[in-house]
Amino acid sequence: MEELVKEISDLKALVNLLLLRIEELEAENADLHRQLSQNSSNSHKPPSSEGYSNRTAEAEASY
């Protein structure tokens, strides 16, 4: 019986650690999504940092 109580306690501690890690990863994921959605019009980056692929897509869309 004492072993079960110890195992339950250990598992609860592990669950708490995993929940904290999930929160960290969710925050990191949200930050990465924000970075992906930025371009020169909504960030401090110059248009030249976007490369050619974005300009090509914008040029094709305007025709």
Side-chain angles (χ1 to χ4, degrees):
M1 181 70 166
E2 193 173 306
E3 288 179 22
L4 272 170
V5 171
K6 169 102 171 81
E7 188 173 348
I8 290 171
S9 177
D10 291 346
L11 289 172
K12 285 182 178 181
L14 178 60
V15 167
N16 287 330
L17 286 173
L18 292 173
L19 288 172
L20 289 173
R21 184 65 179 140
I22 289 169
E23 287 179 15
E24 292 171 356
L25 292 172
E26 286 176 338
E28 181 181 352
N29 188 23
D31 185 49
L32 291 171
H33 276 280
R34 261 191 306 280
Q35 289 177 26
L36 278 175
S37 67
Q38 289 184 347
N39 59 39
S40 63
S41 67
N42 63 7
S43 72
H44 67 282
K45 294 180 180 181
S48 61
S49 69
E50 291 181 13
Y52 292 109
S53 62
N54 288 345
R55 290 185 190 159
T56 304
E58 289 173 4
E60 289 175 5
S62 65
Y63 288 113

